[in-house]
Amino acid sequence: MIPASYEDKAHIINILCNAFDNNISVNYVIKNDVNRLKRIKSLMDYSFELCFKFGKIWLSDCGSGCAMVIYPDEKKFNISTLLLDLKLAKDAIGLFRLPKIIKRESQIKALYPSKKITYLWFLGVETAKQKNGVGSLLLEQLIGNDSNLRGPLYLETSNEANVHFYQKAGFQLYQKLDVGYTLYCFKYG
């Protein structure tokens, strides 16, 4: 796995938009209308910007997969992050849906411990390369290098098929959260 540069942004967003096109959680967050694909792209752009500033982003060695983590304790409120949040609300979520999304995020964050954690925001592989071990190898490399993690690694998935994937990698399912759909909450370490 190799660290992503800012020049990799468009490629990473493309991977994630395709990998998460039909994802329940992503489609819950964004406003579903004729601009749905643009909204997914806005969500992935937002995630890239925050992870680039307050976390790490990697590409698989073959370039067909990516992983984005954020260190929540490092995220600082400033004009830059406020503008990103406002842009996300306007371009992806929709202002009237914002309270519902904030409530969901609060429910998720309430499950985290008060100590430092690492949050795996997105792990995605190009659609044509899925089921070939790219995601498994990326996850293995991520958790195999302690310098990537700042405390336990947390993630959620709305895809029931991913439950076995994360358990096989050593993650513990510690909570199922009903947020209008089932969100499977995992931790490692």
Side-chain angles (χ1 to χ4, degrees), residues 42-56:
S42 293
L43 173 63
M44 297 309 169
D45 182 91
Y46 171 82
S47 303
F48 182 94
E49 290 293 334
L50 287 184
C51 289
F52 201 80
K53 289 179 187 205
F54 306 112
K56 292 185 180 178

Side-chain angles (χ1 to χ4, degrees), residues 120 123 135-144 165-166 169 171:
L120 178 56
L123 174 69
S136 296
L137 181 58
L138 206 61
L139 188 58
E140 182 182 307
Q141 291 172 330
L142 176 66
I143 60 181
F165 172 79
Y166 288 114
F171 283 77

Side-chain angles (χ1 to χ4, degrees), residues 61-108:
D61 292 331
C62 64
S64 62
C66 62
M68 297 195 323
V69 301
I70 193 165
Y71 308 117
D73 63 296
E74 290 188 15
K75 185 180 176 197
K76 306 293 184 233
F77 178 80
N78 58 39
I79 192 70
S80 173
T81 57
L82 174 63
L83 291 173
L84 283 171
D85 289 345
L86 291 172
K87 184 174 179 356
L88 176 71
K90 180 179 97 34
D91 294 347
I93 297 171
L95 297 176
F96 294 111
R97 300 180 66 256
L98 199 54
K100 179 171 94 167
I101 303 308
I102 291 171
K103 179 182 177 188
R104 185 194 82 141
E105 291 302 306
S106 295
Q107 288 177 285
I108 294 168

Side-chain angles (χ1 to χ4, degrees), residues 11-52:
H11 178 59
I12 289 169
I13 289 173
N14 187 53
I15 291 171
L16 295 175
C17 285
N18 290 320
F20 287 87
D21 180 28
N22 295 312
N23 182 273
I24 295 167
S25 193
V26 166
N27 283 290
Y28 180 86
V29 169
I30 64 158
K31 182 178 178 183
N32 284 281
D33 60 10
V34 296
N35 294 316
R36 187 180 73 79
L37 296 177
K38 287 181 183 177
R39 293 180 189 286
I40 292 174
K41 185 175 181 180
S42 293
L43 173 63
M44 297 309 169
D45 182 91
Y46 171 82
S47 303
F48 182 94
E49 290 293 334
L50 287 184
C51 289
F52 201 80

